[in-house]
Amino acid sequence: MPVISTNTAANTAVRFLNQNAASESSSLAKIASGSRINKASDDAAGLAIATKISSDITSLQQASTNATQAVAVLQTADGGASNISDILTRMKSLASQSSSGTVTDTERTYLQDEFSQLQDEVDGTASGTRYNGVSLLDGTSNFSTGVDVLVGTDASDTIQIKIDNLSASNLGISSLDISTQSGADSALTTLDTAISSVSSARASIGAQESRFEFRANALSSTEENLSSAKSSITDVDVAAEQANLSSAEVKTQAAVAAAAQANQMPQYLLSLLK
């Protein structure tokens, strides 16, 4: 029924104009931001999932850093243990020389001088092998009893670093004396045991280092996969959204034209009264 007091056609046209303009603005925001979800109403469930994934990715990135730092700790410890092993090898050489019957007691005294210096150097190396100011090999840090490193997104995702005490006293070297042939003979047995202990400690360090390296690789792979999953939820499909934008632009233009046409209808009806 034609009326002049209420322009229903114009109201309808304006309603569709607002809807199409909102769709156009939404598409422009998505294309400009590169994100499919700019507000919760865009995809409430997707936003919740993406937020959780983002949290996991952040945790994995830190876990990967933790694993890398753990490897650095173990590499530092292994470097110190290698030096101690070299020192013990030299000490064994001196003890072997002193144990020989061709060496006089005077010469054994000279050998003992170097031997004593090397005993002190074992402790010096053990205490001087530090990471972040913490000695790793002298048994004074928590590493001797075990330190848990977080390598995942859950508090239970840990790997323990444990480094043996390689101080001279713990290895049994500290009381050795090769100034006599009998002392040298005794030292050889103790040094063999000490060298074996250091080798065992280095094997343990190497095994832990290998585990952390594999875990770091796994963390990188998981982070990559989660990033891809998050992308599939939040990143905008530019081609599809551009098509939506083009459609919204056409509909907006059509609604503007329709609103203009609807606003002319009362004028047409008034012409009937002339």
Side-chain angles (χ1 to χ4, degrees), residues 34-37 43 46-47 49-50 53 57 224-237:
S35 176
R36 188 178 67 85
I37 305 175
D43 185 351
L47 178 62
I49 295 172
I53 292 176
I57 289 174
E224 180 182 346
N225 292 332
L226 285 179
S227 297
S228 177
K230 178 176 177 290
S231 174
S232 67
I233 296 172
T234 61
D235 291 349
V236 67
D237 183 334

Side-chain angles (χ1 to χ4, degrees), residues 37-91:
I37 305 175
N38 291 301
K39 55 185 183 297
S41 59
D42 288 337
D43 185 351
L47 178 62
I49 295 172
T51 300
K52 179 61 170 64
I53 292 176
S54 295
S55 175
D56 286 343
I57 289 174
T58 300
S59 296
L60 287 172
Q61 289 172 339
Q62 184 58 55
S64 181
T65 299
N66 293 346
T68 300
Q69 291 175 339
V71 170
V73 169
L74 291 167
Q75 288 176 337
T76 302
D78 184 52
S82 176
N83 289 334
I84 290 176
S85 180
D86 291 340
I87 293 171
L88 293 175
T89 299
R90 175 56 182 168
M91 292 174 69

Side-chain angles (χ1 to χ4, degrees), residues 109-126:
T109 301
Y110 302 149
L111 294 173
Q112 176 60 31
D113 288 342
E114 181 181 353
F115 193 86
S116 297
Q117 292 295 323
L118 293 178
Q119 285 175 308
D120 292 339
E121 186 56 24
V122 169
D123 279 334
T125 301

Side-chain angles (χ1 to χ4, degrees), residues 83-149:
N83 289 334
I84 290 176
S85 180
D86 291 340
I87 293 171
L88 293 175
T89 299
R90 175 56 182 168
M91 292 174 69
K92 183 179 179 181
S93 175
L94 293 173
S96 297
Q97 187 175 356
S98 179
S99 178
S100 173
T102 60
V103 178
T104 66
D105 287 342
T106 300
E107 292 169 330
R108 289 190 179 96
T109 301
Y110 302 149
L111 294 173
Q112 176 60 31
D113 288 342
E114 181 181 353
F115 193 86
S116 297
Q117 292 295 323
L118 293 178
Q119 285 175 308
D120 292 339
E121 186 56 24
V122 169
D123 279 334
T125 301
S127 62
T129 302
R130 300 185 180 94
Y131 183 88
N132 196 26
V134 177
S135 295
L136 302 177
L137 301 176
D138 63 356
T140 60
S141 70
N142 292 333
F143 288 107
S144 61
T145 56
V147 173
D148 290 334
V149 179

